[in-house]
Amino acid sequence: MPKSHLELSQLGISFPTPKGAFVALQNVNLDIAKGEFISLIGHSGCGKSTVLNLVAGLLQASSGGVILNQKEINAPGPERAVVFQNHSLLPWLSVYQNVELAVKQVFRSQKTKQEMRDWIEHNLALVQMSHARDKRPAEISGGMKQRVGIARALAMQPQVLLMDEPFGALDALTRAHLQDSLMEIQARLNNTVIMITHDVDEAVLLSDRIVMMTNGPAATIGEVLQIELPRPRNRIALADCPTYNHYRHQVLSFLYEKQRKVEVLPNAGSIKATAVAKTAEKRA
Amino acid sequence: MSTIPTQWSRVRRYLPAQQQLNNWLKQSFVSATGVAVFVLLWHILASQIITSLGSFPGPVQAAQQWSVLIAEHKAEKARETAFYQRQQQRNAATLAANPDAVVSVRPYNGRPTFFSQIVTSLYTVLTGFVLASLVAIPAGIVIGLSPRLYSAFNPLIQLFKPVSPLAWLPLVTILVSALYQSDTPLFARSFLVSVFTVSLCSLWPTLLNTIVGVSNISPDLQNVSRVLQLNWLTHVRRIVLPSAVPMIFTGLRLSLGIAWMVLIAAEMLAQNPGLGKFVWDEFQNGSSDSLSRICVAVLVIGLIGYALDRLMLQLQQRVNWDKSATLR
Ligand SMILES: Nc1ncnc2c1ncn2[C@@H]1O[C@H](COP(=O)(O)OP(=O)(O)O)[C@@H](O)[C@H]1O
Ligand SMILES: [Mg+2]
């Protein structure tokens, strides 16, 4: 068996709270191959961001660990670039300067000034943002900001690209457009990607494997679904594809039947399973 | 074909400009009315109040004294020029008689006028303010970045922040005379006392606002910095400082306002050169014109304070990256 590229092994974390330790994750095990596209899906608050932050090194595991290329991860680093949920561009820098900050940091000793300039331009072109290179984040739309966030992450030439609901706040059209761009870029660069999403269609369309998480506390991986659809994938052709719909159905049934969200009603004090499937699907 | 849109865009461009002008005129009119009402009330009420120095001066007397102050300043300048001219002539004559003679130019020691006191006060307040900022901003960044340092310094800051300039002044005076002993002093002691008092009283708002600005950096941006593995200096320069700039400027503006108020009080109390001393001297003088001159001084002090605040606002607008922020 080949040694895995990225391995989450017995991963667990608990947060200290006023009411004692809160076990957020327990026993998360996952082997990810190089160039694989993984989606993390699960109900809100189950611990998806926590998994991502552990891989990023922004959080420290309480038990187990994350191993990248046979080395344990215990700090953040540019070889694991993060696309943050709310883009997190520096508002006082232009689009170009935001990417430049990352490129200078990573390639300071490897590229000449001209090479760095070309590389920044190249990555802005990749996400079709060259036209707005001198604009500040406040002057561009949400979708554009998210693209710049992706360009910044790609420009770091990361081994692993971590994305926390990258398209969550976007309208459907922009989202579809960015999903297509992401598929193209990933096919070309062959990055390993872990993406968190709420969107079942997005997960099926983009992923090689969908990792479905159980509800917290002590959340872990519930099921893993291998998506064996040929690439390049076309969203319109797939809409009528029975295999596609089968995958889609499996994810939906995991989320809304097996891991149906249990909500505590504050007044009744009793635990009631509420049919949140409808509202949750609307949210997704 | 294109005439209609072109004309329309011209109209559209014209409309807001016209509206802006109208708004501006309206606002100016309201402000002018406020000032006029104030002057009128001052005029009416002043004549009713009889003090030990005659009736309280109204706007007319104040305006008269304003011209007198200008005249006095011009006269003093003329005396100074004449003084130097006389010396020059005398020296020229000496040199003509004996080319090897050693000649010197003695400095003029005239009475400071109202306007030279303004210059002194401005110079002092700006020195004190710059000194305070040079201490408060770096200290605020370092303290704001470390929760432990913050816990250590917070009680001290809270303790010293409310101390009045009147309490600092004697201590600063004693310390300056004890520590600053030089045969050829670069600065007058009285100047240093004023500067340090101003600094001590005015550095707190900048310090506190810098600390708050620095410690409230968005966690997302901090994560960006961590993923990029920015070193401490780059982190401060590229992330911390820019995101704290709005708060730092809020502090700087408060500090400058305090610095100006403190300076006048310190000059009055310590008899240090400046506008405060001018007011105090006039008060001691106790002639019937003194009150009018003090009124002039009060107005000028207010106007300068206002001008300093506007200057800071301009600077803030230039430096602030958030151009959409409304600053007032
Ligand atoms: N720093 C923290 N301290 C305490 N609890 C936390 C912290 N971060 C996350 N949690 C808890 O861990 C759980 C998972 O959070 P998160 O990973 O953000 O969920 P998701 O991204 O799936 O919506 C939540 O119940 C959340 O309240
Ligand atoms: Mg999350």
Side-chain angles (χ1 to χ4, degrees):
Chain A
M1 204 186 125
K3 283 200 177 142
S4 65
H5 173 57
L6 178 64
E7 187 184 349
L8 320 191
S9 149
Q10 298 291 324
L11 196 60
I13 187 169
S14 54
F15 295 108
T17 67
K19 291 185 212 150
F22 171 79
V23 181
L25 291 175
Q26 213 168 37
N27 256 329
V28 175
N29 289 297
L30 190 67
D31 272 10
I32 301 171
K34 195 163 172 43
E36 200 173 8
F37 197 119
I38 301 280
S39 285
L40 275 182
I41 202 163
H43 286 293
S44 182
C46 72
K48 304 181 295 293
S49 296
T50 308
V51 171
L52 206 78
N53 286 336
L54 282 165
V55 178
L58 293 167
L59 287 176
Q60 290 290 328
S62 315
S63 61
V66 181
I67 296 150
L68 176 66
N69 295 330
Q70 277 78 55
K71 275 202 207 93
E72 177 152 5
I73 287 168
N74 42 31
E79 79 283 357
R80 281 159 285 128
V82 184
V83 177
F84 294 91
Q85 185 164 7
N86 56 354
H87 66 76
S88 297
L89 300 177
L90 308 191
W92 45 87
L93 297 184
S94 71
V95 162
Y96 181 90
Q97 290 168 326
N98 262 289
V99 181
E100 186 186 34
L101 182 67
V103 169
K104 274 199 174 151
Q105 194 61 25
V106 178
F107 297 107
R108 224 173 351 193
S109 51
Q110 299 162 34
K111 286 190 197 294
T112 66
K113 275 193 177 158
Q114 184 57 46
E115 281 170 342
M116 283 203 259
R117 238 173 283 151
D118 295 343
W119 178 240
I120 298 165
E121 299 282 4
H122 169 77
N123 281 281
L124 285 177
L126 210 59
V127 295
Q128 294 160 20
M129 282 303 294
S130 303
H131 62 283
R133 67 193 290 278
D134 295 321
K135 292 220 162 100
R136 296 266 176 98
E139 299 168 319
I140 58 180
S141 71
M144 289 172 157
K145 277 182 251 197
Q146 210 51 269
R147 279 196 236 176
V148 179
I150 294 171
R152 176 174 64 185
L154 289 173
M156 291 153 74
Q157 236 169 26
Q159 299 181 33
V160 182
L161 187 59
L162 303 168
M163 304 204 278
D164 193 345
E165 295 181 38
F167 313 131
L170 306 180
D171 64 277
L173 279 177
T174 314
R175 196 187 312 163
H177 187 75
L178 285 186
Q179 286 165 351
D180 290 341
S181 313
L182 180 61
M183 274 195 287
E184 252 171 63
I185 292 168
Q186 204 256 343
R188 210 173 328 155
L189 306 179
N190 198 32
N191 301 90
T192 308
V193 182
I194 304 179
M195 180 181 78
I196 295 176
T197 181
H198 266 134
D199 183 335
V200 177
D201 287 296
E202 178 171 279
V204 178
L205 182 68
L206 296 180
S207 315
D208 297 315
R209 267 193 297 167
I210 300 179
V211 173
M212 294 173 262
M213 292 187 58
T214 63
N215 291 335
T220 187
I221 293 175
E223 282 177 29
V224 178
L225 182 67
Q226 188 88 32
I227 306 288
E228 276 158 353
L229 294 169
R231 291 180 188 267
R233 297 174 185 168
N234 178 317
R235 68 176 67 242
I236 299 166
L238 286 177
D240 299 324
C241 166
T243 337
Y244 176 86
N245 282 315
H246 168 72
Y247 289 137
R248 203 173 166 277
H249 182 261
Q250 272 184 294
V251 179
L252 283 173
S253 98
F254 176 85
L255 287 178
Y256 304 126
E257 282 164 16
K258 296 177 206 161
Q259 286 295 319
R260 167 190 266 211
K261 182 95 170 166
V262 174
E263 279 184 357
V264 181
L265 295 180
N267 288 336
S270 63
I271 295 173
K272 249 190 199 172
T274 32
V276 292
K278 264 190 183 163
T279 48
E281 185 157 18
K282 243 184 243 160
R283 228 182 297 140
Chain B
M1 264 299 282
S2 70
T3 51
I4 289 171
T6 319
Q7 272 174 359
W8 172 236
S9 73
R10 209 174 290 155
V11 169
R12 232 179 359 188
R13 222 175 300 143
Y14 176 74
L15 266 180
Q18 183 68 39
Q19 251 163 22
Q20 263 172 16
L21 189 68
N22 279 345
N23 282 348
W24 185 80
L25 282 176
K26 238 179 259 171
Q27 246 171 27
S28 311
F29 180 74
V30 173
S31 307
T33 315
V35 172
V37 167
F38 166 74
V39 172
L40 196 70
L41 277 178
W42 178 17
H43 180 75
I44 295 168
L45 291 178
S47 54
Q48 319 266 309
I49 302 170
I50 309 299
T51 70
S52 57
L53 302 173
S55 69
F56 192 83
V60 179
Q61 288 90 329
Q64 275 166 358
Q65 282 309 311
W66 170 250
S67 338
V68 171
L69 285 171
I70 292 176
E72 280 177 3
H73 181 71
K74 281 185 180 151
E76 187 67 25
K77 280 283 151 231
R79 265 199 297 281
E80 186 180 344
T81 328
F83 174 81
Y84 283 117
Q85 250 168 14
R86 270 202 312 280
Q87 274 199 66
Q88 223 169 13
Q89 277 162 5
R90 210 178 307 141
N91 286 342
T94 319
L95 282 174
N98 174 14
D100 299 330
V102 182
V103 295
S104 61
V105 179
R106 278 176 297 120
Y108 179 69
N109 280 322
R111 247 167 43 84
T113 67
F114 182 59
F115 295 95
S116 62
Q117 299 285 42
I118 292 181
V119 173
T120 309
S121 283
L122 275 177
Y123 178 60
T124 315
V125 81
L126 289 181
T127 312
F129 172 69
V130 168
L131 190 69
S133 310
L134 285 180
V135 172
I137 296 175
I141 290 173
V142 173
I143 295 173
L145 283 176
S146 149
R148 199 173 298 165
L149 277 182
Y150 177 73
S151 311
F153 277 96
N154 192 36
L156 291 176
I157 295 171
Q158 303 301 339
L159 177 69
F160 288 129
K161 188 177 59 141
V163 175
S164 144
L166 280 60
W168 284 121
L169 196 62
L171 291 179
V172 174
T173 311
I174 300 282
L175 281 178
V176 166
S177 29
L179 300 176
Y180 190 71
Q181 281 169 342
S182 154
D183 294 331
T184 53
L186 194 56
F187 301 108
R189 272 198 199 140
S190 60
F191 170 75
L192 289 182
V193 169
S194 295
V195 164
F196 288 139
T197 309
V198 164
S199 298
L200 272 175
C201 295
S202 71
L203 69 86
W204 309 108
T206 304
L207 183 63
L208 278 172
N209 280 281
T210 307
I211 291 175
V212 171
V214 164
S215 51
N216 283 349
I217 299 171
S218 117
D220 291 319
L221 296 189
Q222 282 178 346
N223 281 342
V224 170
S225 175
R226 289 177 65 198
V227 168
L228 289 176
Q229 293 181 330
L230 299 183
N231 60 33
W232 191 84
L233 205 66
T234 319
H235 175 67
V236 168
R237 262 187 44 225
R238 307 305 293 267
I239 313 257
V240 173
L241 257 183
S243 57
V245 151
M247 282 303 277
I248 292 178
F249 265 92
T250 308
L252 284 175
R253 273 176 75 194
L254 286 171
S255 282
L256 187 55
I258 289 179
W260 185 238
M261 286 205 277
V262 162
L263 176 69
I264 304 297
E267 285 169 350
M268 275 181 87
L269 192 69
Q271 297 288 294
N272 289 344
L275 274 173
K277 182 168 162 51
F278 174 88
V279 172
W280 188 251
D281 287 349
E282 289 300 333
F283 179 60
Q284 295 297 337
N285 201 358
S287 83
S288 55
D289 291 337
S290 297
L291 283 182
S292 312
R293 286 161 164 255
I294 292 177
C295 287
V296 172
V298 165
L299 289 178
V300 167
I301 289 169
L303 277 175
I304 291 176
Y306 176 70
L308 288 175
D309 190 58
R310 289 286 113 173
L311 267 176
M312 281 304 292
L313 188 70
Q314 292 284 319
L315 193 65
Q316 181 172 17
Q317 273 162 349
R318 179 150 317 170
V319 173
N320 199 356
W321 45 268
D322 188 4
K323 301 292 179 200
S324 65
T326 46
L327 304 169
R328 43 169 67 223

